[in-house]
Amino acid sequence: EVQLLESGGNLVQSGGSLRLSCAASGFTFSSYAMSWVRQAPGKGLEWVSAITASGASTYYADSVKGRFTISRDNSKNTLYLQMDSLRAEDTAIYYCAKDSHSGIVVANDYWGQGTLVTVSS
Amino acid sequence: QSALTQPASVSGSPGQSITISCTGTSSDVGNYNLVSWYQHHPGKVPKLMIYEVSKRPSGVSNRFSGSKSGSTASLTISALQAEDEADYYCCSYAGGSTYVIFGGGTKLTVL
């Protein structure tokens, strides 16, 4: 059974940092691209970042470029999102999601339960 | 880049069919056959319903179908059921410096 378990969400002050983790199991983690998607309170889904299966290529939304860093450790089956210079508008539930290919094909077939990040101003 | 354009809400009665549109540009929906649709019940995890414009993942009802014409993708749900009431989001690969873009979401109400 595929499982994605996010952790690391917390209350942090504006300008602070957080590191989210997503522990994967039930599939060959190193074979699939992964993404982070967030949902701010009362808002829709927003793509944040993605990384290819090997980790060689990373992609970011303009809203987080230069502040967030996505990475993965295929030996630990874990996806990360380092979040720096946090702003109030980064407040959201952050989901990790598995793509169905080694590259980005926006077919996210499994999602974690999400972890809440709250940035206080 | 702005989100893909979806109607804020649609509604239908049980047994009817509804269609949700998703309008992008020649840089995203119009340029790639990498459009997906997600069903999201509040408080639950988003679920992939359609990928690559019209493909259905295993386990998704054949009442759900997807299509695309030019820069507009569509999700059709036939024989509406109460359990279909949820938020629906389209998503497209956009390449360039945008990469991935979601629609604003559509709230489906089953009357």
Side-chain angles (χ1 to χ4, degrees):
Chain A
E1 178 191 8
V2 172
Q3 290 193 334
L4 298 170
L5 184 60
E6 302 97 335
S7 61
N10 211 333
L11 172 63
V12 62
Q13 286 194 327
S14 180
S17 297
L18 276 179
R19 188 198 199 198
L20 305 185
S21 299
C22 173
S25 61
F27 65 102
T28 305
F29 181 71
S30 60
S31 295
Y32 296 95
M34 299 291 295
S35 293
W36 288 98
V37 177
R38 68 185 180 185
Q39 185 174 35
K43 303 293 186 181
L45 299 177
E46 179 190 13
W47 174 76
V48 174
S49 183
I51 186 169
T52 55
S54 66
S57 297
T58 57
Y59 310 89
Y60 300 93
D62 286 344
S63 57
V64 307
K65 200 171 295 182
R67 300 187 299 122
F68 290 11
T69 303
I70 190 171
S71 63
R72 63 191 298 161
D73 185 337
N74 286 344
S75 69
K76 294 183 178 179
N77 291 345
T78 302
L79 175 73
Y80 303 100
L81 186 67
Q82 177 66 42
M83 310 166 66
D84 298 320
S85 303
L86 282 162
R87 306 167 179 167
E89 54 264 35
D90 295 320
T91 294
I93 296 171
Y94 284 74
Y95 298 98
C96 72
K98 168 189 169 293
D99 212 323
S100 60
H101 194 268
S102 59
I104 310 304
V105 296
V106 296
N108 299 113
D109 51 3
Y110 289 93
W111 296 62
Q113 291 295 321
T115 188
L116 178 62
V117 172
T118 303
V119 184
S120 66
S121 53
Chain B
Q1 186 172 0
S2 301
L4 303 175
T5 301
Q6 298 181 232
S9 63
V10 297
S11 62
S13 299
Q16 289 186 331
S17 294
I18 64 94
T19 296
I20 299 172
S21 61
C22 169
T23 302
T25 70
S26 58
S27 298
D28 39 63
V29 176
N31 197 36
Y32 301 96
N33 287 324
L34 294 176
V35 177
S36 52
W37 289 90
Y38 299 89
Q39 178 190 67
H40 192 197
H41 288 102
K44 296 200 171 182
V45 173
K47 178 182 178 182
L48 178 66
M49 306 303 285
I50 296 288
Y51 66 101
E52 293 178 16
V53 176
S54 60
K55 297 179 180 179
R56 258 189 325 272
S58 173
V60 171
S61 170
N62 59 9
R63 297 186 298 106
F64 292 83
S65 62
S67 63
K68 189 182 85 166
S69 177
S71 298
T72 298
S74 299
L75 173 71
T76 297
I77 309 174
S78 60
L80 271 177
Q81 299 179 0
E83 68 209 47
D84 299 332
E85 186 163 291
D87 298 319
Y88 290 84
Y89 295 89
C90 62
C91 182
S92 176
Y93 182 74
S97 62
T98 302
Y99 304 119
V100 179
I101 186 167
F102 274 93
T106 298
K107 180 176 180 60
L108 169 63
T109 300
V110 180
L111 302 171

